[in-house]
Amino acid sequence: MAGYARLSNGFWRGTAIPHRSAALLYVMAISWCSDHASDGIIADDELLYVLNASDGDVADLVASGLLLRGSDEGCYMIRNYLKYQNSSRQIDESRERERVKKRRQREARQDIANVPDVSPKDDANVPDVS
């Protein structure tokens, strides 16, 4: 899915993450959650096997408070994710607006294509204004 995730310009200076590998994991987890429209929820398996996180990096993120244990066993939540990122509902609404926009554009092009050509030499189609 095409898109992007937001990261504060001051992230580099304001984080309490002790290791760069944990900071990179945090950024990758935000990107994964944005790509999958998961509202900031990521499974332990995704962290460990998809993002190739170490147990130490996950522990660092939990200790810093940036990653919270989810209510479901085996998942985590990125703290304040929905404060900065689009929710899955917002993403769905945006996609629907784009679909409607594209459909209207196609219909407008089709309407233009269906307009009959009027030749200036064709007097039969010119109304008498006298």
Side-chain angles (χ1 to χ4, degrees):
M1 163 186 341
Y4 62 92
R6 295 175 192 96
L7 187 65
S8 168
N9 288 344
F11 173 75
W12 65 273
R13 120 176 52 105
T15 62
I17 303 172
H19 299 102
R20 289 187 186 268
S21 58
L24 177 59
L25 174 61
Y26 178 71
V27 172
M28 290 174 61
I30 290 172
S31 176
W32 186 94
C33 289
S34 179
D35 192 38
H36 290 85
S38 73
D39 291 340
I41 298 170
I42 187 166
D44 196 27
D45 287 348
E46 259 75 43
L47 285 170
L48 295 174
Y49 304 115
V50 176
L51 300 182
N52 201 25
S54 70
D55 291 330
D57 288 341
V58 173
D60 285 346
L61 290 178
V62 170
S64 70
L66 293 174
L67 199 60
L68 309 170
R69 239 329 157 182
S71 57
D72 295 334
E73 185 65 30
C75 75
Y76 292 92
M77 292 175 30
I78 297 173
R79 187 184 76 202
N80 294 329
Y81 179 86
L82 292 176
K83 182 176 178 180
Y84 301 104
Q85 310 303 328
N86 293 328
S87 69
S88 59
R89 183 184 51 75
Q90 290 169 317
I91 292 168
D92 290 343
E93 289 171 355
S94 176
R95 286 181 186 154
E96 182 58 28
R97 282 192 303 273
E98 282 299 311
R99 277 193 287 273
V100 168
K101 179 181 171 184
K102 291 292 183 185
R103 187 181 73 239
R104 287 182 181 155
Q105 288 173 345
R106 282 192 299 273
E107 289 170 354
R109 281 194 302 267
Q110 194 172 26
D111 288 346
I112 291 171
N114 291 334
V115 173
D117 290 331
V118 177
S119 171
K121 296 177 184 176
D122 186 6
D123 291 338
N125 292 328
V126 177
D128 185 13
V129 290
S130 55

